[in-house]
Amino acid sequence: MSRFGRFRQPSVIPGFGLTFGFTIAYFSLIILIPLIALVFRSAGLGWGGFWAAALDPRVLASLRTSFVTALIAAGINVVFGTLIAWVLVRYRFPGRRIFDAMVDLPFALPTAVAGIALTAIYAPNGVIGQLVAPLGWRIAYTPVGITIAMIFIGLPFVVRTIQPILEEVSKEVEEASATLGANRFQTISRVILPSLTPAILTGFALAFARAVGEYGSVIFIAGNIPFVSEIAPLLIVIRLEEYNYTGAAVIAMVMLAISFVMLFIINLIQAWSRKRYGYGN
Amino acid sequence: MAMAINSSAHRLVSPTNEPTWVRWTLILVGVLFMALFLVLPLVAVFSEAFRQGIGAYFDALRQPDALSAIRLTLLVAAIAVPLNVVFGIAASWAIAKYEFKGKAFLTTLIDLPFSVSPVISGLVYVLLFGSGSLLGPWLKSYGIEILFAVPGIVLATIFVTFPFVARELIPLMQDQGTGDEEAALSLGASGWQTFWRVTLPNIKWGLLYGVLLCNARAMGEFGAVAVVSGKIRGQTTTMPLQVEMFYNEYQGTAAFALASLLALLALVTLVLKTVLEWRFSDELAATGRGH
Amino acid sequence: MEVRVENVRKEFDRFPALHDVSLDIRSGELIALLGPSGSGKTTLLRLIAGLERPTAGRIFFGDTDASEKSVQERNIGFVFQHYALFRHMTILENVSFGLKVRPRSTRPPAGEIRRRAMELLDLVQLSGLEKRYPNQLSGGQRQRVALARALAIEPGVLLLDEPFGALDAQVRRELRKWLREIHDRTGHTTVFVTHDQEEALELADRLCVMSQGKIEQVGSPDSVYDKPTSPFVFGFIGESSELPVSVDKGDIWLGDRPIGIAGAQAQGQQRLFFRPHDIELVEGGAALAGVVASSRRVGGTRRVELDIGGAAHRVEIDLPFDHPAAERSQIAFRPKRWALFPAT
């Protein structure tokens, strides 16, 4: 174990070599080497070839669809997710614990199941599709349908990020605000919500990142019309079915780059809020 | 004695609470949103599955394709989950019990698969083992099929479920510190004895929690598996893939019947998870809920 | 501003926290609500603030009935035990908050708000830290910010709930002295809650001693210490010993012996209270005589525990640490100051 002596602090507990070695080996085999294969494949195109493939109009359209719908879905989730977190933390009502448990359903329900269920509900002959059809609205097989699926899978990220921070906001702080003359609306908007800002931003970023990459729950309800309701992950699958591996790799690289930026931003938000306010998650 | 009744009490609500009508409006909006987006899809799965009666439901599940999909899903989970459990324990041991450089970075890396689209998780194996790669044809010459076969499905499943156990155990073991292990070692226990008799009992509920979530995702994974499976009927279709196949073939009842099994798995997972959180909340990691 | 609490009762879910409490707080005084936990002192403070509603009774600020007013309308300054600073705001923003949330008609202009906040930070000796966040300050500094924030709205009454409870002993003593200075300079009517009698005795103009939801005694620190009006106050404030005695025609007896104290007003079975340092040693004559059970030096005095009489009642007395009597195995003494309360 002396080999690791330089970079780790001494400890009497045995097993560092074994566990650390296994961790690195397993991570490399399962995650790292496959990801490197992706980078190599798209690098094989060269700089010009890469950009030509990435800037293909259909690719751009699919990225735009994915991003716009994911942004809208994350935005809606922030509003309702914050509200739901508030209701679950602050109020007592019949069925609260069941609803609290249900928030995690999108984590547990396989995406394909969610996909066909949402399609069944929002298709023109479905429970809700029927309601809006007379108004001339279509939800399934349009970008609206994509957004709905993304709201479904993103909701728990927002709720579960905000909930613990909201539980931490002490009653004393709200009372302090009231004694200083702030009415309830001012206390909520100037004291409680600002202290939740880092959590809300983190929840937004997590829900957005998940929605951009989502596949299973979206493809059934999307309609998958090129340039209209075709999401980027689906285009990867289509490129693969065309045996255009390099084309698939290029789209994947663009999406990976974006998720890494999101990951970086999330870490930044949390480091910032930890440093300044002394909390974060 | 002036025991005056405070006539204005109705006007003066508690300073840290909202008026009743605001409270109930918010509850109503929240509950309606959850009912619409969470409960309704779940109800839809079961109502579609039983639309043509119980007989049709069980007939659909008895089809050879459905049965083989169930078998394959169980097989894949039975391989992927234990491997990720071993990894999760090893990684959390290395990260929680020692101080070394780059620890925070390694912890971030373990979460990486969560931020990768499932389709990309499958794609990387296609690129690694596919026809245009170096490895694929070489393995094929020895008769080893990875892609469009069970090994590829297992690999893709391991990729997407990679962080579940580790991210539950790492914060838990960090909270518990190294005191118990040091005590056991000072009493003469060996490393393995310390692990089996001291560490493992301390983390058992957290481990179960991680296994639960890992298994739910392993059985339900769609995107990554869809890319590597090749969707060969009766051979490389897992339950979620078979759901898609039935659905695309307009076999609605069959699709939803199979989907209802997965939904049941999700519900059981949620119930067990909730029970664990209520009963053993202090023996689970405070952070890392979800996914 | 003077505050009058009239016959206030408070129940939490039918559990009575305060029974029919009345208290007059004088304008400009610094009064301490002192009592063990569960005595209702914090409940009384929160009722004055308007953070809780009384089950019955009224609270007047000057001549106006504050029971009709919400916490926002009462214009009080409240300092919380755990500071309750807004973590996402700088120190300056924290102090200005109360002025910024005023309705436009009464809100000072931004420049004025800033000037006043900076003045207050100067008063609490935190100039130069206005851009920091609460997280970057020490506990003592945070409590000073909390005080500046409460003072910023120019409160009619300043209420402090165990303000130094979360701080370590050294900082507590400093802040205590400093709070007294600030009070003398600004002249706010101030009510503070504490369970620390030393803090209350040192800081307050008057004490209000509470127990089990009732006020036991109100008075200056000297009068509460020297003339406790109940066994609880005698036991709670300062140190004391208790003996079961009987009184006959003004003479106090312990068992079958007179103890050399005459002039008692009461009659029959009584409880005698005295403080360890309020005694004199006597040679011969009627006295309390006891066998030394233990003797140890505490700083400048010697604390002697004695077993008195046949029933071996344990009492404590203080002697100078080098007093020769400390070497003896038997000591006789008489209380110089004492009080009797009827035996229950």
Side-chain angles (χ1 to χ4, degrees):
Chain A
M1 237 170 291
S2 55
R3 278 186 303 135
F4 297 108
R6 269 187 303 157
F7 89 103
R8 88 167 166 99
Q9 290 171 18
S11 164
V12 294
I13 296 173
F16 181 75
L18 178 68
T19 55
F20 183 79
F22 180 75
T23 301
I24 295 296
Y26 191 77
F27 176 79
S28 305
L29 281 177
I30 300 290
I31 311 287
L32 198 60
I33 293 173
L35 282 178
I36 290 171
L38 170 67
V39 176
F40 265 88
R41 178 64 73 130
S42 42
L45 272 180
W47 196 243
F50 180 88
W51 284 114
L55 297 177
D56 171 82
R58 190 169 166 192
V59 172
L60 283 181
S62 74
L63 285 170
R64 190 168 55 235
T65 305
S66 281
F67 275 81
V68 172
T69 49
L71 270 177
I72 295 170
I76 292 172
N77 272 334
V78 157
V79 174
F80 286 94
T82 308
L83 188 148
I84 288 169
W86 177 271
V87 166
L88 289 176
V89 171
R90 290 305 175 97
Y91 303 147
R92 295 293 169 266
F93 56 95
R96 183 184 68 91
R97 295 189 116 181
I98 294 173
F99 277 107
D100 192 16
M102 281 293 286
V103 169
D104 283 333
L105 181 74
F107 287 150
L109 193 69
T111 54
V113 177
I116 62 171
L118 289 169
T119 313
I121 295 167
Y122 291 97
N125 59 351
V127 185
I128 293 180
Q130 267 173 1
L131 288 179
V132 299
L135 305 170
W137 294 350
R138 276 165 55 95
I139 296 178
Y141 318 127
T142 68
V144 181
I146 300 177
T147 311
I148 294 215
M150 289 175 170
I151 291 172
F152 173 82
I153 48 121
L155 184 66
F157 288 93
V158 179
V159 178
R160 293 293 186 236
T161 317
I162 295 174
Q163 240 175 339
I165 305 292
L166 190 56
E167 273 162 5
E168 233 181 66
V169 175
S170 77
K171 207 157 188 138
E172 270 195 353
V173 170
E174 290 171 49
E175 288 178 346
S177 168
T179 61
L180 292 166
N183 61 38
R184 191 64 189 151
F185 176 75
Q186 286 171 321
T187 298
I188 291 174
S189 64
R190 295 193 179 198
V191 175
I192 301 175
L193 285 181
S195 64
L196 294 180
T197 307
I200 292 176
L201 287 176
T202 305
F204 178 89
L206 286 171
F208 173 77
R210 173 70 199 262
V212 165
E214 181 55 20
Y215 177 71
S217 58
V218 173
I219 52 157
F220 295 96
I221 201 172
N224 306 329
I225 307 153
F227 296 98
V228 178
S229 58
E230 186 177 64
I231 54 167
L234 177 68
L235 195 55
I236 295 179
V237 174
I238 291 174
R239 291 279 190 262
L240 278 179
E241 281 165 0
E242 294 164 348
Y243 297 102
N244 182 356
Y245 286 7
T246 317
V250 168
I251 306 171
M253 275 306 289
V254 174
M255 292 188 60
L256 263 190
I258 290 154
S259 27
F260 287 156
V261 170
M262 293 303 297
L263 204 63
F264 182 66
I265 290 173
I266 293 167
N267 279 329
L268 226 54
I269 295 170
Q270 299 198 336
W272 166 75
S273 85
R274 240 194 315 273
K275 188 164 165 239
R276 172 170 283 188
Y277 307 150
Y279 61 85
N281 13 13
Chain B
M1 252 217 289
M3 287 285 185
I5 306 294
N6 294 295
S7 57
S8 59
H10 62 276
R11 185 177 64 87
L12 302 172
V13 290
S14 151
T16 52
N17 219 334
E18 289 74 50
T20 313
W21 69 271
V22 174
R23 224 162 40 225
W24 282 104
T25 310
L26 291 177
I27 291 173
L28 196 70
V29 172
V31 164
L32 276 180
F33 191 85
M34 285 190 276
L36 183 65
F37 279 92
L38 301 177
V39 181
L40 194 59
L42 202 57
V43 173
V45 171
F46 289 99
S47 75
E48 292 287 330
F50 288 103
R51 174 167 282 195
Q52 287 166 354
I54 296 205
Y57 176 83
F58 284 106
D59 285 346
L61 288 183
R62 270 197 291 267
Q63 291 181 63
D65 287 351
L67 289 175
S68 79
I70 293 170
R71 264 197 303 274
L72 180 59
T73 292
L74 293 176
L75 173 71
V76 169
I79 301 171
V81 174
L83 282 173
N84 278 338
V85 166
V86 173
F87 161 74
I89 291 172
S92 51
W93 184 275
I95 287 173
K97 303 289 178 199
Y98 307 95
E99 291 300 326
F100 57 87
K101 283 179 196 157
K103 191 162 121 164
F105 183 60
L106 183 60
T107 314
T108 311
L109 280 184
I110 288 173
D111 269 350
L112 196 63
F114 278 148
S115 38
V116 173
S117 170
V119 169
I120 297 176
S121 313
L123 169 71
V124 291
Y125 290 107
V126 175
L127 297 180
L128 195 63
F129 297 111
S131 53
S133 68
L134 291 173
L135 269 178
W138 180 73
L139 287 169
K140 205 166 197 163
S141 66
Y142 290 95
I144 301 171
E145 296 273 3
I146 303 277
L147 225 47
F148 312 131
V150 176
I153 297 173
V154 172
L155 279 175
T157 305
I158 292 178
F159 188 109
V160 292
T161 58
F162 184 83
F164 280 98
V165 180
R167 69 149 28 209
E168 173 62 25
L169 289 186
I170 291 169
L172 180 63
M173 281 168 74
Q174 276 174 335
D175 282 353
Q176 291 179 345
T178 54
D180 288 9
E181 283 75 17
E182 282 162 1
L185 291 167
S186 76
L187 293 169
S190 73
W192 281 110
Q193 283 172 323
T194 302
F195 172 74
W196 285 108
R197 300 200 184 179
V198 175
T199 309
L200 202 57
N202 276 343
I203 60 169
K204 60 175 183 287
W205 297 116
L207 182 62
L208 184 60
Y209 190 93
V211 167
L212 208 61
L213 299 184
C214 183
N215 178 65
R217 181 71 189 265
M219 290 191 170
E221 177 52 30
F222 178 72
V225 174
V227 170
V228 295
S229 116
K231 295 176 189 166
I232 306 162
R233 234 186 162 76
Q235 286 180 36
T236 63
T237 50
T238 59
M239 285 167 78
L241 294 180
Q242 192 61 49
V243 168
E244 185 202 19
M245 270 186 173
F246 283 144
Y247 188 84
N248 288 343
E249 291 159 3
Y250 298 99
Q251 297 191 53
T253 303
F256 280 99
L258 204 52
S260 74
L261 290 186
L262 289 168
L264 217 55
L265 168 76
L267 285 179
V268 170
T269 304
L270 279 190
V271 169
L272 290 178
K273 172 177 176 296
T274 309
V275 169
L276 280 180
E277 283 168 10
W278 288 355
R279 292 269 323 268
F280 305 106
S281 58
D282 44 345
E283 292 176 61
L284 299 175
T287 51
R289 277 298 97 81
H291 296 286
Chain C
M1 186 187 301
E2 59 184 37
V3 177
R4 240 167 46 238
V5 178
E6 278 189 11
N7 306 104
V8 161
R9 188 158 56 85
K10 175 67 181 173
E11 290 170 7
F12 291 107
D13 298 329
R14 294 293 173 94
F15 175 78
L18 282 181
H19 311 267
D20 196 22
V21 163
S22 296
L23 176 66
D24 284 345
I25 296 166
R26 296 170 194 153
S27 187
E29 78 171 334
L30 181 57
I31 186 168
L33 304 180
L34 177 64
S37 57
S39 59
K41 55 192 192 302
T42 295
T43 304
L44 180 56
L45 192 78
R46 290 170 62 84
L47 283 164
I48 297 173
L51 290 170
E52 308 283 353
R53 312 273 317 139
T55 310
R58 297 194 165 271
I59 292 163
F60 290 90
F61 281 16
D63 291 328
T64 52
D65 185 351
S67 327
E68 301 292 320
K69 290 184 171 176
S70 70
V71 56
Q72 287 92 347
E73 294 161 337
R74 288 192 193 191
N75 193 36
I76 48 105
F78 202 104
V79 175
F80 293 83
Q81 180 175 4
H82 299 287
Y83 331 122
L85 295 179
F86 307 132
R87 291 193 283 188
H88 62 283
M89 296 183 196
T90 61
I91 301 313
L92 184 67
E93 286 164 345
N94 262 284
V95 176
S96 341
F97 181 83
L99 297 173
K100 284 185 183 163
V101 294
R102 284 193 182 167
R104 191 156 297 165
S105 54
T106 57
R107 190 194 314 153
E112 171 69 10
I113 292 179
R114 190 187 153 81
R115 194 188 57 75
R116 263 159 65 177
M118 295 298 276
E119 252 177 41
L120 280 163
L121 284 176
D122 199 36
L123 179 74
V124 299
Q125 299 157 0
L126 288 176
S127 310
L129 298 184
E130 66 271 9
K131 290 202 179 96
R132 300 267 186 98
Y133 285 85
N135 187 38
Q136 299 164 319
L137 301 187
S138 70
Q141 288 174 323
R142 285 183 212 182
Q143 197 53 296
R144 284 191 267 165
V145 175
L147 185 73
R149 185 177 69 175
L151 289 173
I153 59 169
E154 294 174 341
V157 188
L158 189 59
L159 307 168
L160 302 97
D161 185 9
E162 301 258 5
F164 313 128
L167 301 168
D168 54 37
Q170 179 72 27
V171 183
R172 272 173 101 113
R173 269 193 294 277
E174 278 169 28
L175 279 191
R176 218 185 272 166
K177 216 181 297 168
W178 166 86
L179 177 65
R180 182 74 229 184
E181 281 170 25
I182 296 231
H183 175 265
D184 292 346
R185 212 171 332 157
T186 58
H188 283 99
T189 307
T190 304
V191 186
F192 79 100
V193 160
T194 181
H195 62 266
D196 180 346
Q197 45 161 315
E198 189 192 324
E199 188 170 294
L201 289 170
E202 182 181 328
L203 199 49
D205 297 323
R206 287 201 303 156
L207 305 186
C208 167
V209 185
M210 299 183 68
S211 166
Q212 299 188 326
K214 289 187 181 123
I215 292 178
E216 292 277 342
Q217 186 172 359
V218 182
S220 69
D222 288 352
S223 74
V224 171
Y225 187 85
D226 293 338
K227 297 189 178 64
T229 56
S230 71
F232 172 81
V233 177
F234 218 125
F236 186 70
I237 310 268
E239 292 172 293
S240 63
S241 292
E242 180 186 346
L243 287 171
V245 296
S246 57
V247 183
D248 186 33
K249 294 179 199 122
D251 288 333
I252 301 178
W253 295 63
L254 178 68
D256 53 1
R257 292 180 191 193
I259 63 170
I261 308 177
Q265 304 288 326
Q267 185 70 24
Q269 296 300 312
Q270 299 283 329
R271 298 161 73 188
L272 174 76
F273 285 84
F274 60 90
R275 302 202 184 280
H277 54 84
D278 277 343
I279 56 111
E280 56 186 354
L281 297 184
V282 290
E283 304 287 340
L288 285 165
V291 179
V292 175
S294 82
S295 163
R296 57 186 195 280
R297 186 179 155 181
V298 183
T301 57
R302 181 166 291 278
R303 169 65 51 90
V304 181
E305 285 185 35
L306 297 172
D307 289 334
I308 308 248
H313 300 289
R314 178 69 55 95
V315 300
E316 293 180 336
I317 60 169
D318 284 347
L319 299 174
F321 75 91
D322 49 356
H323 196 283
E327 301 297 317
R328 295 186 218 155
S329 61
Q330 283 210 322
I331 295 178
F333 70 96
R334 265 183 229 131
K336 284 193 291 188
R337 271 195 285 208
W338 43 269
L340 287 175
F341 299 101
T344 46

